[in-house]
Amino acid sequence: MSTSTALYEGKAKRVFPTDDPDQVLFEYKDDATAFNGVKHETFSGKGELNNRLSAHLLQAVARAGVPTHFIRLVSERQQLCRKVEIIPLEVILRNRAAGSMAKRLGLDEGTPLKTTVVEYSYKNDALGDPLIAADHAVAIGAATFAEIGVMERCTRVVNRILGQLFLDVGIELIDFKLEFGRTASGEVVLADEISPDTCRLWDVTTSERFDKDRFRKDLAPLLEGYREVLRRLEAQEGVSQ
Ligand code: UDP
């Protein structure tokens, strides 16, 4: 655990300064929240699992050329990252309808889509992270059109890379949320985490959920799902080495 004061404390992690002004320490907490923090529980070991899962997934997309904030794992629940100014947008990509899209459009969870959907939410807890158009994001100064272009291209590459990585271990990537940030030099890089907190992950054969929906909907013990994802990814990595 770091002893310095956190620069930022979110629902599932803390961010600490380091001696290097361009680097921060990300610490994953054991907390799980849903419905804008209304539902909240602590799961011992969740921080360690998400630290490892997020490192694994960020490194996979970095190998495919997507710039990310990840530098290296530091400890069981900490990773060193590039310091960025977070762009206040959630970029969500959907391969099937689920969650808020299924609800908004009256579709069954898992309905196939005729095209991949990329959408934006404005990161603002007081407003409940509303769905917005890319034009809104530019209009309110959250990002430029050029930055939106970079984010969308990166998000589609992440979908291709992680979609295949998960499919290789019998998991379908239903949807996911990404966040991006600007480095000191203004480069837009993938920031924050990629984990079962931020992706929907279903077993290809049984449609069992391995992600945070286990907690949101009280479907099954949360961490067994996260452990299964990590187990499959690590077993696959062992095979491909
Ligand atoms: N998501 C997230 N953080 C959020 C909202 C959504 O990580 O604040 C992820 C969520 O886990 C899912 C995808 O983004 O993989 C799409 O979520 P959705 O809009 O369906 O919202 P939800 O059903 O989670 O409210």
Side-chain angles (χ1 to χ4, degrees), residues 11 35-36 90-94 98-102 104 109 119 121 129 174-179 192 195-201 211-213 216-217:
K11 293 169 192 134
F35 314 118
N36 206 3
E90 295 186 340
V91 186
I92 291 170
L93 185 143
R94 302 178 185 275
S100 66
M101 176 180 173
R104 190 178 319 110
E109 282 263 315
E119 64 182 44
S121 290
D129 297 344
I174 303 297
D175 60 26
F176 58 90
K177 183 262 308 183
L178 299 179
E179 293 186 24
D192 201 48
S195 74
D197 274 9
T198 62
C199 302
R200 283 195 170 88
L201 301 168
D211 55 72
K212 202 165 81 170
D213 273 351
R216 288 191 191 96
K217 301 180 174 184

Side-chain angles (χ1 to χ4, degrees), residues 127-183:
L127 298 176
D129 297 344
L131 177 67
I132 59 171
D135 282 348
H136 288 132
V138 178
I140 64 173
T144 64
F145 281 119
E147 288 173 335
I148 299 262
V150 171
M151 291 191 283
E152 179 169 340
R153 280 192 295 281
C154 286
T155 302
R156 291 185 189 278
V157 175
V158 169
N159 188 45
R160 191 160 43 77
I161 300 303
L162 296 191
Q164 189 59 53
L165 185 113
F166 282 124
L167 208 53
D168 288 344
V169 297
I171 292 173
E172 185 174 343
L173 178 59
I174 303 297
D175 60 26
F176 58 90
K177 183 262 308 183
L178 299 179
E179 293 186 24
F180 292 84
R182 301 177 189 99
T183 63

Side-chain angles (χ1 to χ4, degrees), residues 32-204:
T33 62
F35 314 118
N36 206 3
V38 172
K39 185 169 178 176
H40 178 208
E41 218 172 297
T42 302
F43 296 90
S44 177
K46 175 172 178 284
E48 286 175 37
L49 279 166
N50 272 358
N51 188 34
R52 284 167 69 185
L53 279 160
S54 196
H56 191 102
L57 299 172
L58 286 166
Q59 285 173 293
V61 300
R63 282 195 296 273
V66 175
T68 85
H69 70 156
F70 179 82
I71 300 172
R72 63 181 161 82
L73 277 174
V74 170
S75 69
E76 283 185 337
R77 57 175 69 230
Q78 292 177 325
Q79 49 187 256
L80 193 64
C81 294
R82 292 161 78 185
K83 186 174 183 180
V84 298
E85 173 200 14
I86 286 286
I87 296 174
L89 298 173
E90 295 186 340
V91 186
I92 291 170
L93 185 143
R94 302 178 185 275
N95 294 305
R96 285 181 187 265
S100 66
M101 176 180 173
K103 199 170 162 202
R104 190 178 319 110
L105 301 182
L107 300 170
D108 289 336
E109 282 263 315
T111 302
L113 301 173
K114 293 190 193 301
T115 184
T116 304
V117 172
V118 175
E119 64 182 44
Y120 301 91
S121 290
Y122 178 41
K123 264 172 70 78
N124 183 313
D125 280 344
L127 298 176
D129 297 344
L131 177 67
I132 59 171
D135 282 348
H136 288 132
V138 178
I140 64 173
T144 64
F145 281 119
E147 288 173 335
I148 299 262
V150 171
M151 291 191 283
E152 179 169 340
R153 280 192 295 281
C154 286
T155 302
R156 291 185 189 278
V157 175
V158 169
N159 188 45
R160 191 160 43 77
I161 300 303
L162 296 191
Q164 189 59 53
L165 185 113
F166 282 124
L167 208 53
D168 288 344
V169 297
I171 292 173
E172 185 174 343
L173 178 59
I174 303 297
D175 60 26
F176 58 90
K177 183 262 308 183
L178 299 179
E179 293 186 24
F180 292 84
R182 301 177 189 99
T183 63
S185 63
E187 187 194 0
V188 172
V189 303
L190 182 54
D192 201 48
E193 66 182 296
I194 311 180
S195 74
D197 274 9
T198 62
C199 302
R200 283 195 170 88
L201 301 168
W202 295 6
D203 186 273
V204 165

